[in-house]
Amino acid sequence: MPMVVVDNLRKSFGKLEVLKGISLTVERGNVVALLGRSGSGKSTLLRCLNGLEIFDSGSVEVAGHRLTTDPAALRELRKDVGIVFQSFNLFPHLSVAENVMLAPRLVHRIDKAAATALAEEMLARVGLSDKMHARPDQLSGGQQQRVAIARSLAMKPKVMLFDEVTSALDPELTAEVLVVLERLASDGMTMLLVTHEMGFARGVATRSVFML
């Protein structure tokens, strides 16, 4: 069953056409690596899939949601489609656990005990069980990125989007984040990743798509 269906997607910024009729289908459980030079539209495509960028023409369906500009429909879409960026965007005044708990409590209205248990589960999944009560500024860059992944996973998404999540990290920290992504792939998570990590693309991705 396709989890992502993109048909003839076009997006321009002024006179610059970035997405030139992109069509793509991603089956459930597949991992697709988006490769290509800077400016080829990789990140723009991901942002279109999560409704963060409004495309000009074409159609997009992700996790059973047809992309529209309706705010209520976009809220429903984002419950099922997680996205993690290069920047961690953690709340510095909250603990690691509180960062992970925030969205489920606000969106799904779960109580504190359930949210705490969920945070424990998600942080264990990314190898950070011992950092529940730490603040973001007490963590390395790789650890912060893993918290960002745990925060997105806490919403129980059906599709995960990753936009250059290792590009700001040194090689050692990059490796620990890639291990988490490999685990997610092994668990059957449907993922699309913008990456320059060719070894990861060859070893883990079901398919690599090169954008010109």
Side-chain angles (χ1 to χ4, degrees):
M1 174 184 173
M3 291 297 286
V4 178
V5 180
V6 179
D7 183 39
N8 198 28
L9 193 69
R10 293 185 178 274
K11 171 66 180 178
S12 296
F13 295 98
K15 295 182 179 180
L16 178 63
E17 189 177 31
V18 177
L19 301 179
K20 306 171 184 178
I22 300 293
S23 294
L24 176 68
T25 299
V26 181
E27 298 293 330
R28 183 188 300 273
N30 281 6
V31 178
V32 175
L34 300 175
L35 311 172
R37 61 176 175 78
S38 178
S40 61
K42 305 183 298 296
S43 294
T44 300
L45 174 58
L46 281 197
R47 292 173 66 85
C48 287
L49 296 182
N50 203 44
L52 295 173
E53 201 72 67
I54 298 173
F55 49 89
D56 300 325
S57 63
S59 65
V60 175
E61 186 173 313
V62 186
H65 301 273
R66 185 85 167 187
L67 261 289
T68 73
T69 56
D70 176 63
L74 286 174
R75 283 194 295 272
E76 291 303 308
L77 164 79
R78 289 169 184 157
K79 291 178 183 178
D80 288 334
V81 184
I83 187 166
V84 181
F85 299 99
Q86 175 182 339
S87 301
F88 319 126
N89 297 317
L90 302 177
F91 292 106
H93 64 291
L94 299 179
S95 70
V96 164
E98 288 167 338
N99 268 280
V100 176
M101 294 162 58
L102 184 61
R105 294 204 70 187
L106 291 176
V107 176
H108 295 309
R109 304 293 183 182
I110 64 176
D111 61 33
K112 186 175 181 179
T116 300
L118 179 63
E120 290 174 348
E121 178 189 351
M122 294 302 110
L123 289 169
R125 198 169 178 184
V126 299
L128 290 174
S129 295
D130 60 333
K131 301 297 183 183
M132 284 276 294
H133 304 295
R135 293 295 175 93
D137 62 3
Q138 297 172 311
L139 305 180
S140 69
Q143 290 171 331
Q144 290 187 60
Q145 190 61 282
R146 285 189 280 158
V147 173
I149 294 171
R151 178 178 58 185
S152 192
L153 291 175
M155 291 297 290
K156 304 289 187 175
K158 297 176 181 176
V159 176
M160 283 289 294
L161 312 173
F162 296 94
D163 189 8
E164 293 281 19
V165 294
T166 61
S167 62
L169 304 176
D170 64 34
E172 181 180 353
L173 300 182
T174 292
E176 65 184 51
V177 174
L178 291 179
V179 166
V180 172
L181 298 182
E182 289 170 4
R183 288 177 188 156
L184 293 179
S186 297
D187 290 344
M189 175 66 74
T190 305
M191 300 190 289
L192 288 90
L193 309 96
V194 173
T195 182
H196 288 102
E197 298 293 336
M198 298 302 294
F200 176 84
R202 286 193 299 267
V204 179
T206 311
R207 179 162 46 124
S208 295
V209 175
F210 193 85
M211 298 182 64
L212 300 174

